[in-house]
Amino acid sequence: KGEVRVFMSLGYASYMVPQDLSALFDIFPGLHINSITAMDTSFFNIKDVDIAITYQEIDNQDTVLISEKKVHCGFFASSQYLAQKGYPIDLDDMVKNHRLITKHDSLLARVLGEERFKKANICFKSNNTLALINALENNTGIGIMPLSFALHGLVCLDNIICDCPITYHLYANRLTKDIPRVRTLI
């Protein structure tokens, strides 16, 4: 029991927090998670947290890499947007005939490639994951999200391959990683 201080990248905190937290708290009712969320790792000091979950690598002598997880992604849009604009047949059709939304980290640029990205109609760009989700849900365009977004009522454009997973890293503070409450959360 006790508090575990966790840093999470904004995207992870917004839509990837495990659904089994309730079960964890049922098993360990005295465990408390204090989450700090920020756009990138420059917003925290590892000495101030016990665990960090981020898509950025941390090169710091006070951290220990515990594990990595690849989160596969796909292109998503609302069914209403697709009804209005049509279902793109491939990447070229999507770039030519559709509005796209993206995060500032530009996973979209890596998937499309430099030439296609220059031609793309990027109508909305944000560092706020919740804003991107709302934009997708409100028929703004097509964006890249983890495949689990199919559960949120968005349509996955499964005919268009998005072979560029996001890798999340789980780091622990070298000094606190073996404390039982921290080990439990890890």
Side-chain angles (χ1 to χ4, degrees), residues 164-185:
C164 196
I166 300 168
T167 302
Y168 280 96
H169 311 277
L170 172 63
Y171 291 96
N173 181 319
R174 180 180 55 81
L175 301 174
T176 64
K177 70 178 177 56
D178 293 321
I179 296 173
R181 66 179 177 268
V182 176
R183 199 88 203 118
T184 297
L185 194 57

Side-chain angles (χ1 to χ4, degrees), residues 7-17 35-41 43-44 53-56 103-105 126-133 149 168:
F7 169 82
M8 289 187 259
S9 292
L10 186 59
Y12 188 89
S14 299
Y15 58 88
M16 299 288 296
V17 172
S35 173
I36 301 162
T37 304
M39 176 72 176
D40 61 53
T41 57
F43 288 94
F44 82 102
I53 304 170
T54 177
Y55 57 87
Q56 295 175 305
K103 285 189 75 169
H104 286 289
D105 63 13
S126 177
N127 68 342
N128 184 321
T129 303
L130 295 176
L132 293 176
I133 293 167
F149 263 70
Y168 280 96

Side-chain angles (χ1 to χ4, degrees), residues 43-95:
F43 288 94
F44 82 102
N45 182 338
I46 191 64
K47 292 177 182 177
D48 296 333
V49 299
D50 301 303
I51 298 171
I53 304 170
T54 177
Y55 57 87
Q56 295 175 305
E57 292 184 23
I58 300 174
D59 184 18
N60 182 309
Q61 65 185 8
D62 292 324
T63 63
V64 176
L65 178 64
I66 303 296
S67 68
E68 296 178 326
K69 179 180 181 177
K70 290 193 182 301
V71 176
H72 295 282
C73 298
F75 288 99
F76 284 88
S78 70
S79 55
Q80 192 172 11
Y81 174 85
L82 294 172
Q84 292 170 356
K85 305 291 183 182
Y87 202 101
I89 57 172
D90 58 23
L91 282 176
D92 291 322
D93 180 35
M94 188 172 69
V95 167

